[in-house]
């Protein structure tokens, strides 16, 4: 009974793109005269996974969409085009609108205060973080959110390239999420990201406030430059979000970010600290 109710709830929560994908996939499968098991064999999934996708109880994963395009797409790019929008539907409600802005941005200036910014998270770190949150989420939902978070990293490879700057609080690097092995992998990944030509990574040290100034006391922020060169600021806290467009407010927050960055270690010093902390996670 509980399982049936959960499946019904998942079906109701399936977004319009996921439902359209399910309907198109089912019709194309039937046109080929295949059973769900046969389609599953062709795309490397079980028949039950195909059934879950077609009924909307489990939206198609990114990997499934790739295979559906290969087997059923017939050169029309239907499932390929759906990947972005299915992914968006898996994000939390407060993040969906911003996710598109992030992926199209020509510049991102990020300040992370509590955990590693989502763009820079490893799969293991993201899973530990999302799975360990409150209220607890069903395992299926955890995996959806992990997949959606990792998919954001395509921004690093996008052309034209985006300029990405991130300032991390040192406490973020010292807070062990998911165990020492997971954290060591995460810190090493940060070091790899810091070596990218389009990424600047800086650490705001714990002692940043010793001189009496600490510009980061009001929390995390994300400054976005759009392809039209508009400047916006995204704030998120306790599951709520705010997108700021008013020029005067954006200017104030941009200036505050500049002070935060100025109080942080330089890129080379930051990389040295990150590499040192990677060695300590044993």
């Amino acid at each position: 009974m509980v399982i049936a109710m959960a499946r019904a709830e998942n079906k109701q929560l399936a977004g319009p793109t996921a439902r359209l994908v399910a309907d198109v996939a089912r019709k194309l499968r039937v046109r080929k005269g295949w059973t769900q098991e046969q389609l599953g064999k062709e795309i490397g999934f079980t028949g039950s996974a195909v059934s879950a996708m077609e009924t909307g109880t489990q939206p198609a994963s990114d990997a499934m969409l790739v295979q559906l395009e290969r087997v059923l797409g017939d050169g029309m790019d239907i499932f390929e085009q759906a990947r972005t929008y299915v992914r968006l539907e898996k994000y939390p409600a407060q993040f969906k609108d911003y996710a598109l802005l992030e992926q199209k941005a020509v510049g991102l200036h990020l300040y992370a205060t509590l955990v590693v910014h989502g763009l820079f998270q490893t799969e293991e770190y993201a899973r530990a973080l999302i799975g360990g949150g409150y209220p607890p989420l069903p395992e299926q939902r955890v995996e959806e959110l992990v997949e959606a978070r990792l998919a954001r990293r395509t921004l690093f490879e996008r052309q034209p390239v985006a300029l990405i700057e991130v300032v991390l609080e040192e406490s973020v690097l010292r807070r062990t999420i998911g165990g020492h092995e997971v954290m060591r992998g995460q810190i090493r990944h940060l070091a790899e990201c810091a070596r990218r030509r389009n990424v600047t990574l800086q650490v705001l040290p714990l002692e940043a406030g010793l001189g009496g100034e600490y510009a980061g006391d009001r929390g995390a922020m994300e400054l976005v430059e759009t392809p039209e060169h508009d400047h916006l600021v995204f704030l998120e806290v306790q599951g709520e979000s705010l997108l700021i467009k008013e020029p005067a407010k954006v200017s104030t927050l941009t200036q505050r970010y500049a002070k935060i960055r100025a109080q942080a270690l330089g890129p080379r010093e930051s990389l040295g600290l990150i590499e040192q902390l990677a060695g300590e996670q044993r």
Side-chain angles (χ1 to χ4, degrees):
M1 180 66 175
V2 174
I3 294 176
M5 291 177 61
R7 287 177 176 172
E9 181 181 357
N10 288 342
K11 187 172 182 178
Q12 291 174 357
L13 293 177
T17 306
R19 295 181 185 184
L20 178 61
V21 165
D23 191 42
V24 171
R26 182 182 59 79
K27 289 180 178 179
L28 291 176
R29 172 182 64 78
V30 170
R31 179 179 293 180
K32 284 183 174 291
W34 290 348
T35 65
Q36 291 175 338
E37 288 73 17
Q38 287 174 312
L39 175 58
K41 184 177 180 181
E42 291 289 334
I43 64 175
F45 287 81
T46 63
S48 60
V50 173
S51 175
M53 177 272 294
E54 290 186 354
T55 59
T57 58
Q58 177 60 53
S61 66
D62 199 61
M64 180 181 281
L65 287 169
V66 170
Q67 295 305 316
L68 286 172
E69 180 63 40
R70 179 181 63 83
V71 173
L72 298 178
D74 198 25
M76 294 184 289
D77 283 344
I78 295 175
F79 300 104
E80 177 63 29
Q81 293 296 321
R83 290 173 66 190
T84 296
Y85 300 99
V86 170
R87 187 187 311 142
L88 283 174
E89 291 176 352
K90 294 178 180 179
Y91 288 127
Q94 77 276 6
F95 188 75
K96 288 181 180 179
D97 291 339
Y98 176 69
L100 274 176
L101 286 175
E102 181 184 74
Q103 288 300 304
K104 295 178 180 179
V106 298
L108 289 173
H109 306 270
L110 315 169
Y111 174 47
T113 60
L114 299 176
V115 296
V116 173
H117 188 276
L119 277 175
F120 294 86
Q121 291 177 12
T122 65
E123 180 176 351
E124 295 77 14
Y125 183 96
R127 182 172 290 107
L129 193 63
I130 296 170
Y134 188 86
L137 297 173
E139 187 60 32
Q140 174 183 312
R141 181 57 176 155
V142 170
E143 292 305 314
E144 284 182 356
L145 289 173
V146 170
E147 178 186 340
R149 183 163 298 179
L150 295 179
R152 292 164 61 190
R153 299 193 302 191
T154 57
L155 180 62
F156 288 109
E157 309 295 342
R158 192 200 68 194
Q159 294 296 330
V161 69
L163 173 67
I164 304 173
E165 295 185 347
V166 58
V167 178
L168 296 177
E169 287 278 351
E170 183 179 343
S171 57
V172 169
L173 304 175
R174 295 188 179 277
R175 179 175 295 108
T176 301
I177 302 292
H180 293 292
E181 189 64 30
V182 169
M183 200 63 201
R184 181 162 61 250
Q186 175 62 73
I187 294 177
R188 286 176 174 171
H189 178 66
L190 284 172
E192 293 172 3
C193 291
R195 297 187 182 97
R196 289 177 174 268
R197 294 183 62 187
N198 64 317
V199 173
T200 301
L201 192 156
Q202 293 178 253
V203 177
L204 189 64
L206 292 172
E207 58 187 28
L210 283 178
E213 289 188 9
Y214 175 55
D217 64 317
R218 301 194 188 186
M221 69 172 85
E222 308 194 11
L223 282 61
V224 185
E225 182 180 356
T226 72
E228 296 74 34
H229 305 293
D230 294 322
H231 294 266
L232 314 170
V233 179
F234 179 71
L235 306 176
E236 185 176 17
V237 62
Q238 296 293 338
E240 301 294 332
S241 65
L242 178 64
L243 186 63
I244 299 174
K245 301 180 180 180
E246 185 179 332
K249 292 182 179 179
V250 171
S251 177
T252 297
L253 291 168
T254 300
Q255 293 172 21
R256 184 175 298 153
Y257 180 85
K259 288 295 280 186
I260 292 170
R261 184 174 54 194
Q263 293 173 3
L265 300 175
R268 289 186 180 180
E269 294 173 287
S270 297
L271 179 56
L273 176 59
I274 289 171
E275 290 173 337
Q276 175 189 330
L277 291 175
E280 294 178 3
Q281 287 286 344
R282 298 187 185 281

